[in-house]
Amino acid sequence: QVRLVQSGGEVRKVGASVKVSCKASGYTFGHYGITWVRQAPGQGLLWLGWISGHDGHTIYAPWVQDRVTVTTDTSTTTVYMELRSLRSDDTAVYFCARDLMTGSSPFIDHWGQGTLVTVSS
Amino acid sequence: QSALTQPPSVSGAPGQRVTISCTGSSTSIGAGYDVHWYQQIPGAAPRLLIHNNDNRPSGVPDRFSGSRSGTSASLAITGLQADDEADYYCQSYDSSLGGFYVFGTGTKVVVL
């Protein structure tokens, strides 16, 4: 079965960086993309970025594109999301998710368990 | 800066039918982009409920149904059950936002 297992919670200071991993298994890695979504406490879902499992092509949300980098290690089918210059409002649960597009817009069919990133001053 | 607007909450008694609206614009739903729906129990990851406007993945009860018309979409839940109490999010694409995904603001379903 499809599994996305994320790394554990992290605590960082304002201005620092964090790197969250997402180990994918149970499917052909190169046939799907991985997207990253975050959820601040009590808030809704917010998309950060996407990477192709096929060729590593990335697309980032404009509001965070200068601070985020998503990479992939196809040998271990692991995807990484690094967020730099952390601010207190980056405190959130970060989800990796497998996505696909069978129509005119992509959607997520499997989610990781989430990783809480806490940014303190 | 969500481009899809949902009501903050809807409520219904067990067995009733509730609907959740998702309002976009001419650059998102109105442009013909497919709408998808997710259910999120507090403390858990979201779960895909409806994809491509009106398609249910295997395992999702047929009490859940989706539709799209014009610049809006809707999720209907019939035969409301206690474990339907959760947050629900719509999601699509908006060509004006320069990104890949746009989520709705989220709706809390309360079972009375």
Side-chain angles (χ1 to χ4, degrees):
Chain A
Q1 74 282 22
V2 175
R3 291 195 73 200
L4 299 170
V5 179
Q6 299 182 223
S7 50
E10 304 272 12
V11 179
R12 293 287 187 274
K13 294 286 191 183
V14 169
S17 298
V18 69
K19 194 169 188 176
V20 179
S21 68
C22 172
K23 166 71 175 174
S25 62
Y27 69 97
T28 302
F29 185 76
H31 288 182
Y32 297 85
I34 292 289
T35 208
W36 288 87
V37 175
R38 81 179 192 186
Q39 187 170 38
Q43 302 299 309
L45 304 172
L46 187 63
W47 178 74
L48 282 81
W50 171 89
I51 188 164
S52 166
H54 172 63
D55 61 7
H57 178 63
T58 54
I59 300 174
Y60 299 123
W63 62 271
V64 72
Q65 63 182 5
D66 58 342
R67 298 195 295 130
V68 69
T69 302
V70 178
T71 56
T72 183
D73 182 344
T74 56
S75 68
T76 61
T77 63
T78 301
V79 179
Y80 301 90
M81 187 282 299
E82 181 181 35
L83 189 60
R84 301 175 295 277
S85 301
L86 288 168
R87 310 187 290 239
S88 56
D89 61 359
D90 290 320
T91 293
V93 175
Y94 289 75
F95 294 101
C96 68
R98 188 183 84 163
D99 81 346
L100 67 160
M101 189 159 78
T102 59
S104 60
S105 72
F107 63 95
I108 293 166
D109 66 347
H110 289 88
W111 296 73
Q113 84 275 20
T115 296
L116 175 61
V117 174
T118 303
V119 183
S120 64
S121 53
Chain B
Q1 65 279 14
S2 178
L4 301 180
T5 302
Q6 300 178 230
S9 68
V10 299
S11 62
Q16 285 190 331
R17 179 180 188 269
V18 297
T19 61
I20 301 170
S21 61
C22 172
T23 302
S25 68
S26 58
T27 56
S28 59
I29 300 173
Y33 292 112
D34 290 326
V35 178
H36 321 288
W37 292 89
Y38 305 89
Q39 177 195 58
Q40 187 180 31
I41 306 295
R47 163 201 179 197
L48 179 65
L49 213 55
I50 297 287
H51 67 89
N52 299 345
N53 309 310
D54 56 7
N55 293 275
R56 278 186 311 276
S58 62
V60 174
D62 59 6
R63 302 185 297 104
F64 295 91
S65 62
S67 63
R68 183 190 70 180
S69 179
T71 58
S72 296
S74 291
L75 174 72
I77 310 173
T78 58
L80 198 62
Q81 299 179 359
D83 59 4
D84 295 333
E85 188 158 295
D87 296 316
Y88 293 80
Y89 294 90
C90 60
Q91 175 253 310
S92 185
Y93 175 84
D94 191 316
S95 61
S96 73
L97 294 181
F100 221 28
Y101 282 74
V102 61
F103 286 97
T105 48
T107 298
K108 172 75 173 179
V109 169
V110 177
V111 181
L112 301 172

